[in-house]
Amino acid sequence: MSPARFFSMSDSRTTPAVNRVARILVEAVPDRPFDYAIPDALVPVVKPGVRVSVPFGHRTVTGVVFELADHSDHAKLKSIEAVPDPVPMLDATLLKLAAWMADYYQAPLAHAVRTMLPGAVRRAGARFKTQRIVRLADETATPAGITPVQQSLVTVLQGSGAMPVPELLKRAGVTNAPLNILAKRGVVIIETETVTRTALACRTVLRTGPLELMPEQAGALATTVEAMEHPPGVILLYGVTGSGKTEVYLQAIEHALQKGRSAIVLVPEISLTPQTVERFQARFGERIAVLHSNLGDGERHDEWHRIRDGKADIVIGARSAVFAPVRHLGLIVVDEEHEPSYKQEESPRYHARDVAVMRAQMTPCPVLLCTATPSFESWANVERKKYLLSILHRRADDRKLPAVRIVDMRMEAESTGQIGVFSRELLEAIRRRLDRAEQVMLFLNRRGFAASLQCPACGHVVTCEACSIALTYHRSDERLRCHICGASHPVPASCPKCRDPGIRMGGVGTQRVERIAAKCFPQARIQRLDADLTSRKQVYEEVLGAFRSGKIDILVGTQMIAKGLHFPNVTLVGVLHADLGLHIPDFRAGERTFQLLAQVAGRAGRGDVNGEVIIQTYTPAHPALVSARTLDYDGFAGPELLQRKELGYPPYGHMVCLGLKGASERRVAVSAGELSGALSARLSAPAVVSPACPAPLAKAKGLFRYQVLMRGPSVRRLTDAIRSVLKVVSLPRDVALAIDVDAIHML
Ligand code: ADP
Ligand code: ZN
């Protein structure tokens, strides 16, 4: 395909010589760059990463220069029209990273670049906010021969000094005209200045210095600092909540700054709270920039430019901050590296932790991955000796980890004769804590509960024998399907294990928990916090603020309240139905459940009173629960990883999920079948391609969804197969395909 067909043929330029061609990415056709000629006048400013205006079709669009070349295969090239900002938006490393992302995650190159640049920066009209400031030319002189109206302006300025034009006009109660006359006569000077829209709260934060490190912390710091000097690598910093990981990386950042280098700290969006930011402000003051999804366009634009222009050298942000345009990058920290929210669920479907590792390798600089429950991917990389490991074994304050108890809800049901939301043990514990005016968190892991069948009597979950994951219930045809191998079974009339006919969709929602808790504890102040409520960030902050200041006794929530929050007065954490997350059709179900339980347990007892955790479950023998009781990560990871290895699941292989959707189920199913067939024909063992299968979420927003799962030891082989198949299999126009490389959710 030649780009020429997008252009009129009237341009008579021939292919120019040495570096007179720029390969430019435009969003209209995102797959690849288009060649443009660089006019003489623009030669000095057209560089890779620079934003340019170019003719495209009949319009002028904004594009980004990807690379320069000395010739083009196309005879006639259009010319770049203008360069609005000569400073590159992306440096050479980021451009290289974009190319890697596009290739690895099978996304159009222009989309990779777009992902790196916030809209507020990329758009043609993006600019700084400016204001006009008036001051007296000579503050001591009394200007002669001016009218009373003009004098009133001068009087205000003499009293208060320089100020923005609108404010002056308002205070003097006059219009623009007299001010303009004063300016013309040189009595006042009007200047335009940039107003920085900052996301940082304007409150002053008490500065703190580094703490004296404990020996293990000092060791971890030394390893990181050494990695800044020598061939940099990735360090997994593994330690329970409160073991002082944050302190280690704060000091590692300080080292980077001393060497004149900058740092990026990624945190999950949800833990990007004012307290987190304050901790950084207290240590580093003005040098930090914050990037998160709640910034206004203006704030985002200005933060981004502060970073690019070197005015901020520590960037804290959620996923996309991994692309922050810092100069002289010296360290990337990924806090809570196991968090699934680091994966972007739209194209390009990148994983910020993996992109961080890649960016660091290209820079080069070290990466510090911090977590209390390492992702299996990172853990396996430690085993393969690709990553270094630093462990913090103790809590920094030597506080004990909470006591964790497991309540077997099957026995509870047996002895009480009913299936309740709260066990007697948990009720009793809540009562004890409330009596002592301590706080309680109740936590419900709700994700995916509707997808699997669990017997309320024995806790049995119907799973696929060949693949060891829960079968997914499909309401439409009353069948259970395996989303790995495609096996399909009718829904059993009674539990296959205990023959109880009550097998059914299990599940309680947070609202129901809240209601029942209110009935049991009428005096307690109870508040619910879940995704329904927190679509408004303000509500989330308010509720957490009220909880922190003791205005709430019991906080009921989903996994959202498990993350990185610090409440000293919480002494009891109750987990209701801990196995909900275990039986989703995802081989990572056990890993996620263990991570969540460990996170939740970390919430209890962060103050002076020892904490207590009660976990209710129907499957107390599941390894994730057994290990959660003693917070035994190694004990959990060992056997799980062995099983993954045997099945070739990640981290011992890559998984690619092809998702297809469309309004016609038949066309979606046929397309999925064709892809699956063509891919199987091109790949051989150990690579595996699943048959086409309805997605666990079989229909969404009126569109039918199917998926094909591929796995194999080499991601390259899988994506090469996809590329070549897509050249021969053409999908109907109303069937959309999403390619998710290293998919972490299988819904
Ligand atoms: P993590 O990031 O592992 O959860 P933090 O770095 O937040 O741990 O540390 C937990 C608590 O212990 C914080 O209040 C922190 O100020 C304190 N702390 C960390 N390191 C030290 C140290 N070396 N000496 C004293 N207190 C420390
Ligand atoms: Zn199966």
Side-chain angles (χ1 to χ4, degrees):
M1 181 168 72
S2 152
R5 74 187 173 92
F6 293 101
F7 308 135
S8 67
M9 304 299 276
S10 60
D11 197 322
S12 61
R13 250 171 208 287
T14 49
T15 304
V18 183
N19 281 354
R20 282 308 180 80
V21 172
R23 307 227 149 103
I24 292 172
L25 295 165
V26 294
E27 284 190 26
V29 182
D31 304 73
R32 67 205 171 78
F34 289 88
D35 291 359
Y36 283 87
I38 309 172
D40 292 347
L42 293 180
V43 167
V45 287
V46 173
K47 284 172 282 193
V50 155
R51 198 169 52 147
V52 291
S53 303
V54 291
F56 195 83
H58 299 294
R59 295 176 299 149
T60 294
V61 300
T62 302
V64 173
V65 177
F66 183 69
E67 58 190 358
L68 301 181
D70 53 9
H71 79 287
S72 170
D73 293 338
H74 306 288
K76 300 186 191 252
L77 296 181
K78 287 241 171 185
S79 294
I80 296 172
E81 285 173 0
V83 178
D85 177 2
V87 185
M89 305 249 110
L90 300 168
D91 64 18
T93 307
L94 286 172
L95 285 168
K96 207 165 129 194
L97 190 64
W100 174 81
M101 277 214 303
D103 178 57
Y104 189 90
Y105 293 108
Q106 300 273 293
L109 184 55
H111 286 178
V113 165
R114 183 181 64 187
T115 301
M116 291 183 163
L117 295 171
V121 169
R122 209 172 58 228
R123 275 191 287 277
R127 56 178 57 93
F128 286 99
K129 182 177 172 186
T130 55
Q131 62 181 8
R132 298 198 310 145
I133 302 281
V134 199
R135 61 182 169 85
L136 287 169
D138 181 347
E139 298 202 358
T140 49
T142 310
I146 60 173
T147 66
V149 174
Q150 291 164 357
Q151 180 58 50
S152 67
L153 287 168
V154 172
T155 309
V156 172
L157 287 173
Q158 280 169 336
S160 314
M163 68 181 70
V165 169
E167 190 186 337
L168 174 64
L169 297 181
K170 197 167 151 211
R171 284 182 37 184
V174 301
T175 61
N176 245 318
L179 178 63
N180 288 341
I181 295 169
L182 286 180
K184 221 172 266 165
R185 286 184 49 192
V187 177
V188 299
I189 293 170
I190 303 179
E191 283 164 329
T192 302
E193 68 167 34
T194 303
V195 192
T196 303
R197 295 155 288 189
T198 175
L200 294 179
C202 295
R203 75 197 117 169
T204 35
V205 173
L206 279 183
R207 292 297 287 264
T208 59
L211 301 172
E212 194 181 320
L213 295 182
M214 300 179 304
E216 282 184 336
Q217 284 178 306
L221 179 64
T223 308
T224 313
V225 170
E226 197 172 319
M228 289 180 200
E229 306 292 333
H230 301 293
V234 182
I235 300 134
L236 179 66
L237 179 55
Y238 161 39
V240 292
T241 318
S243 58
K245 300 183 291 296
T246 308
E247 184 60 34
V248 170
Y249 73 68
L250 288 175
Q251 298 198 20
I253 292 169
E254 213 158 273
H255 273 268
L257 293 186
Q258 275 163 14
K259 297 217 159 59
R261 302 182 70 178
S262 56
I264 295 175
V265 181
L266 303 183
V267 297
E269 180 82 50
I270 198 82
S271 52
L272 202 49
T273 58
Q275 298 139 276
T276 311
V277 174
E278 240 167 58
R279 194 160 170 194
F280 279 87
Q281 268 179 302
R283 201 60 71 84
F284 302 112
E286 303 278 287
R287 305 179 74 165
I288 69 169
V290 181
L291 296 175
H292 58 78
S293 64
N294 268 48
L295 292 185
D297 271 2
E299 289 167 341
R300 189 183 303 274
H301 171 273
D302 291 2
E303 285 297 80
W304 190 91
H305 280 276
R306 274 181 66 221
I307 298 165
R308 189 195 64 174
D309 299 341
K311 290 175 188 149
D313 37 26
I314 302 167
V315 179
I316 309 149
R319 188 170 59 219
S320 64
V322 71
F323 306 119
V326 293
R327 301 172 167 192
H328 314 301
L329 182 57
L331 175 68
I332 306 181
V333 176
V334 184
D335 203 358
E336 313 285 356
E337 64 91 22
H338 60 276
E339 264 294 305
S341 63
Y342 282 125
K343 175 89 174 173
Q344 168 148 300
E345 298 295 352
E346 60 195 65
S347 172
R349 293 178 162 75
Y350 69 91
H351 197 299
R353 178 194 59 223
D354 300 343
V355 172
V357 169
M358 194 46 72
R359 180 172 181 181
Q361 214 174 74
M362 291 173 174
T363 300
C365 75
V367 181
L368 193 57
L369 305 175
C370 303
T371 177
T373 50
S375 65
F376 281 2
E377 280 72 13
S378 298
W379 197 244
N381 278 325
V382 169
E383 285 180 344
R384 293 177 188 127
K385 307 249 185 287
K386 279 186 168 176
Y387 293 0
L388 296 170
L389 176 65
S390 278
I391 304 184
L392 306 180
H393 286 98
R394 301 190 335 198
R395 280 191 161 179
D397 39 25
D398 247 345
R399 236 165 245 148
K400 275 192 289 196
L401 282 169
V404 180
R405 271 179 298 153
I406 309 271
V407 177
D408 184 342
M409 292 303 277
R410 293 171 309 180
M411 300 205 349
E412 185 75 13
E414 216 166 83
S415 57
T416 60
Q418 57 185 8
I419 298 164
V421 170
F422 295 109
S423 62
R424 289 161 300 174
E425 188 170 351
L426 181 54
L427 284 177
E428 193 46 47
I430 296 175
R431 191 163 296 126
R432 265 200 316 272
R433 297 299 171 176
L434 292 179
D435 285 347
R436 285 192 246 159
E438 292 166 12
Q439 287 175 300
V440 176
M441 281 169 111
L442 295 177
F443 167 86
L444 186 65
N445 179 11
R446 207 173 35 168
R447 183 194 281 144
F449 75 88
S452 54
L453 280 193
Q454 181 171 33
C455 173
C458 75
H460 178 70
V461 170
V462 189
T463 55
C464 174
E465 282 172 15
C467 309
S468 74
I469 60 159
L471 293 171
T472 301
Y473 173 62
H474 288 260
R475 194 186 298 270
S476 53
D477 56 358
E478 288 282 312
R479 288 187 80 79
L480 295 169
R481 284 206 181 78
C482 171
H483 286 270
I484 298 281
C485 70
S488 153
H489 312 275
V491 173
S494 62
C495 173
K497 198 167 164 209
C498 77
R499 299 284 147 216
D500 191 284
I503 193 160
R504 44 142 212 184
M505 316 287 295
V508 282
T510 43
Q511 293 186 14
R512 190 161 151 229
V513 173
E514 185 188 19
R515 221 171 43 233
I516 296 172
K519 217 186 270 168
C520 300
F521 306 103
Q523 267 82 47
R525 293 160 301 174
I526 303 172
Q527 174 69 48
R528 177 168 56 91
L529 189 61
D530 55 26
D532 304 339
L533 275 181
T534 52
S535 46
R536 287 181 23 234
K537 177 150 177 141
Q538 208 189 333
V539 174
Y540 176 75
E541 299 287 347
E542 271 168 27
V543 170
L544 292 187
F547 191 52
R548 191 167 292 115
S549 60
K551 294 191 189 110
I552 296 169
D553 301 311
I554 303 178
L555 186 63
V556 179
T558 52
Q559 41 262 57
M560 151 177 292
I561 61 172
K563 310 279 163 68
L565 302 171
H566 177 89
F567 302 107
N569 199 36
V570 172
T571 51
L572 170 64
V573 171
V575 183
L576 312 166
H577 214 155
D579 26 17
L580 280 183
L582 275 180
H583 308 304
I584 58 173
D586 190 328
F587 65 89
R588 286 190 178 88
E591 181 186 358
R592 293 266 158 70
T593 298
F594 177 81
Q595 280 167 355
L596 275 166
L597 294 178
Q599 291 271 344
V600 175
R603 298 306 113 218
R606 302 203 77 183
D608 297 326
V609 187
N610 277 344
E612 173 187 25
V613 178
I614 294 180
I615 297 175
Q616 299 187 163
T617 175
Y618 289 92
T619 44
H622 191 287
L625 285 149
V626 173
S627 305
R629 199 173 63 76
T630 46
L631 296 175
D632 177 14
Y633 177 82
D634 306 31
F636 174 65
E640 274 281 313
L641 280 169
L642 217 57
Q643 198 187 11
R644 298 254 189 112
K645 206 176 222 162
E646 277 164 15
L647 294 168
Y649 285 166
Y652 302 103
H654 292 268
M655 176 156 308
V656 178
C657 178
L658 303 181
L660 296 94
K661 62 182 177 187
S664 154
E665 181 166 20
R666 197 183 54 83
R667 280 199 293 279
V668 173
V670 168
S671 307
E674 262 179 65
L675 282 185
S676 166
L679 288 165
S680 318
R682 268 177 187 73
L683 287 164
S684 52
V688 180
V689 181
S690 80
C693 196
L697 185 60
K699 192 176 181 190
K701 294 178 186 157
L703 299 178
F704 292 92
R705 307 167 83 246
Y706 272 67
Q707 65 186 20
V708 176
L709 294 170
M710 310 164 68
R711 62 177 201 272
S714 153
V715 79
R716 166 68 52 198
R717 285 204 58 206
L718 300 179
T719 52
D720 279 352
I722 297 172
R723 247 185 293 259
S724 71
V725 161
L726 289 179
K727 280 190 192 127
V728 292
V729 175
S730 59
L731 300 175
R733 289 178 59 172
D734 64 345
V735 173
L737 169 68
I739 303 169
D740 192 351
V741 177
D742 292 343
I744 60 163
H745 292 301
M746 297 167 63
L747 298 175

